[in-house]
Amino acid sequence: MAKCLLRPSKGTKNGERQPGARRALFTLSCINALNFADRYVPAAVKTSMEEDLKINDWQSALPSMAMTAVFTVASLIFGLLADREVLDRRIILASGIAFWSFATALSGFAQDLQQLILFRSLVGVGEASFATVASPMITDFYPGPQRNRAFTIFGLSAPVGAAIGFGIGSMLGAHLGWRYAFFVCGFPGVMVAFTVLLLNDPPMGINDSEELNDDADTESESESSENEAPRKWFHEEKQLLGNKYFFLATMGSVAIQFALGGLTEWYPTFLVRFAEMPESMSGLVLSSSCVLSGIGGTVLGSKVADSVARRIGSGAYFLVPAVFMVPATALVAAAVNLKEQAPLIVALLMGETCFFSYQAPITALSMSVIPVHTRARGSSLQILLCHVLGDVISPPIIGKISTAASLRTGLQLTWVAVLVAGAIWAAGFACLAAPDIPIKPKSNDQGTLSSLLTRGMSCLENYCADDDNDEPNRAPNRSDCDTDEEKGDVFG
């Protein structure tokens, strides 16, 4: 086992799925689900938490705002550490997972608003390490044509995790009290953090074009010629934002995050106040809709994006999310304005299905259009902008409007933000040439999700043995687990 823990990173030749890719994607997806569960527990128990701590809507939004503010700042630091390869990415991930999970559990001990803000802020530090490193790591495991599928699987874990957070939070909050919801969601992450140390960490940029790697090498030589002094942060971020594809993908994501932050923070409370649902039922409604619409929307967006890309080119990764935001806008508007429970729930479910369709194509586009050795920083920059301009400010803004007028009035901002996201991505498709992203041929479309469910993680029977093989060009447990690699199956 020691050999498995301490093994060096391995990779095959450029353009192939790297050894341990399936296990890494499965592990990171499961941990991402825990990440989102921890993040959305406070929204599920907001009503009882407000009553116990004697705080109002505005004050109850402050812990979430503090968490995301710290999250954005810490993500810049972790992005720099990962891109410069100061620390092994697996160590950054394991440390961050354990830290945020412990901090989530501590939130259950908060006795007043100040303590709750402190503990939720600590959660932001740990989550930043995971969010910054996970996407670039997945990008290195998979070649371009397989990335949309890989990020589909990874994206599915977000709504599943949100559903777990809302479901567990509402049930435990109703029967045992809001504090137990933090305890139950926090401690599992501490126990599973070590599993990322068992993963392979492929060489950065092994699955990217020579042009992207040459850009990284040129930047590295430039740094060395300046006595190895770090490049100025503003210069690095200016270069990333100067990439029009990355900029538009990010700005659309900012608008989506604004809407998502407002809905996840306030919609359970909206159901309690305006749809006359008990707190336990409101959490279950939101958790169920997150699972169904999150899985359905993520898979739908990925499938449609791949299909349309084969017909019109890689510009489809802008076009498809933009088109889906049109019905999403109308349905989210209905979900925050209807009064009857049944139509409201239907509108919410359908709206979220269209809403979540953006995840895989926009993430794959964002990570594929920037140089290899700036991806962690690119991911951290997206995190910074999405939170500072998105879900850091939307919950308190909506809370302030709720205090001054009504919660229904404040939630009108959510559907407007969805419409803005669609307009930005439509502009990317209309005004820019198709990005240089390899397209997955139709013959390679073998149904990744069914492969995951039917064949699953069978190679875990030889968890470490195959990765210790001395043949550097042989993928782990290839005969048992990777028989479909030639077909392009992400998990095959």
Side-chain angles (χ1 to χ4, degrees), residues 239-276:
Q239 285 184 321
L240 286 169
L241 292 177
N243 184 315
K244 297 178 182 178
Y245 301 98
F246 180 81
F247 177 77
L248 291 178
T250 300
M251 289 300 101
S253 299
V254 167
I256 288 292
Q257 203 66 30
F258 184 97
L260 186 60
L263 287 172
T264 54
E265 183 74 15
W266 288 111
Y267 204 75
T269 305
F270 172 82
L271 292 175
V272 172
R273 294 182 185 176
F274 293 94
E276 299 181 353

Side-chain angles (χ1 to χ4, degrees), residues 302-315:
S302 173
K303 290 279 190 179
V304 174
D306 276 343
S307 179
V308 175
R310 288 191 289 266
R311 292 167 173 79
I312 68 170
S314 56

Side-chain angles (χ1 to χ4, degrees), residues 19 42 88 100 103 105 115 128 183 198 221 224 277 286 291 294 306 308 335 375 438 447-448 467 478:
D88 189 302
W100 100 54
Q115 290 182 12
F183 298 151
L198 304 175
E221 291 173 3
S224 300
M277 289 186 185
L286 206 59
V291 171
D306 276 343
V308 175
R375 278 183 179 150
T448 302
D467 281 345
R478 194 177 189 87

Side-chain angles (χ1 to χ4, degrees), residues 452-474:
L452 171 64
L453 296 175
T454 56
R455 292 163 56 232
M457 299 299 294
S458 59
C459 62
L460 286 180
E461 295 176 0
N462 298 308
Y463 197 92
C464 298
D466 293 321
D467 281 345
D468 292 338
N469 195 295
D470 292 330
E471 299 179 32
N473 291 327
R474 184 180 182 273

Side-chain angles (χ1 to χ4, degrees), residues 104 380 386 455 458 490:
T104 295
S380 68
C386 284
R455 292 163 56 232
S458 59
V490 171

Side-chain angles (χ1 to χ4, degrees), residues 80-288:
L80 185 63
L81 291 175
D83 276 340
R84 298 284 177 84
E85 300 182 88
V86 175
L87 290 174
D88 189 302
R89 291 189 289 191
R90 294 165 291 192
I91 295 177
I92 296 176
L93 287 172
S95 301
I97 294 163
F99 190 85
W100 100 54
S101 300
F102 184 69
T104 295
L106 283 178
S107 300
F109 293 103
Q111 300 300 312
D112 53 38
L113 179 62
Q114 289 72 28
Q115 290 182 12
L116 187 61
I117 290 174
L118 172 62
F119 294 143
R120 294 305 291 172
S121 298
L122 295 177
V123 172
V125 177
E127 288 193 4
S129 67
F130 180 82
T132 303
V133 175
S135 292
M137 194 171 181
I138 292 172
T139 303
D140 288 330
F141 271 112
Y142 291 95
Q146 297 182 26
R147 285 176 188 162
N148 186 45
R149 286 297 187 84
F151 282 116
T152 299
I153 300 298
F154 186 69
L156 290 175
S157 62
V160 171
I164 293 172
F166 285 123
I168 291 178
S170 62
M171 293 300 294
L172 292 179
H175 294 91
L176 298 176
W178 65 272
R179 299 180 186 278
Y180 285 89
F182 286 100
F183 298 151
V184 171
C185 286
F187 286 119
V190 178
M191 295 184 287
V192 304
F194 80 96
T195 59
V196 298
L197 297 175
L198 304 175
L199 302 178
N200 181 36
D201 186 11
M204 292 177 63
I206 191 169
N207 272 323
D208 289 280
S209 65
E210 294 182 1
E211 179 180 354
L212 289 177
N213 281 291
D214 288 343
D215 288 342
D217 293 339
T218 301
E219 291 173 356
S220 179
E221 291 173 3
S222 175
E223 291 175 5
S224 300
S225 64
E226 296 176 3
N227 298 321
E228 298 183 353
R231 290 173 300 175
K232 294 182 179 180
W233 183 85
F234 287 109
H235 176 65
E236 297 171 350
E237 309 313 313
K238 182 179 178 181
Q239 285 184 321
L240 286 169
L241 292 177
N243 184 315
K244 297 178 182 178
Y245 301 98
F246 180 81
F247 177 77
L248 291 178
T250 300
M251 289 300 101
S253 299
V254 167
I256 288 292
Q257 203 66 30
F258 184 97
L260 186 60
L263 287 172
T264 54
E265 183 74 15
W266 288 111
Y267 204 75
T269 305
F270 172 82
L271 292 175
V272 172
R273 294 182 185 176
F274 293 94
E276 299 181 353
M277 289 186 185
E279 187 177 48
S280 58
M281 181 62 67
S282 68
L284 289 177
V285 167
L286 206 59
S287 64
S288 300

Side-chain angles (χ1 to χ4, degrees), residues 331-415:
L331 290 164
V332 171
V336 298
N337 285 287
L338 294 174
K339 297 181 180 180
E340 297 297 326
Q341 289 187 7
L344 185 150
I345 293 172
V346 171
L348 175 66
L349 180 62
M350 295 177 64
E352 286 184 332
T353 300
C354 297
F355 189 95
F356 282 115
S357 64
Y358 84 97
Q359 287 195 103
I362 291 298
T363 304
L365 186 150
S366 299
M367 291 292 102
S368 297
V369 298
I370 57 178
V372 170
H373 288 277
T374 63
R375 278 183 179 150
R377 277 169 287 178
S379 180
S380 68
L381 179 60
Q382 278 193 329
I383 290 169
L384 172 68
L385 295 175
C386 284
H387 291 296
V388 169
L389 302 178
D391 59 1
V392 167
I393 62 175
S394 62
I397 289 174
I398 294 173
K400 197 71 173 178
I401 295 174
S402 174
T403 302
S406 72
L407 182 57
R408 187 190 297 275
T409 302
L411 285 172
Q412 303 306 311
L413 295 178
T414 57
W415 64 263

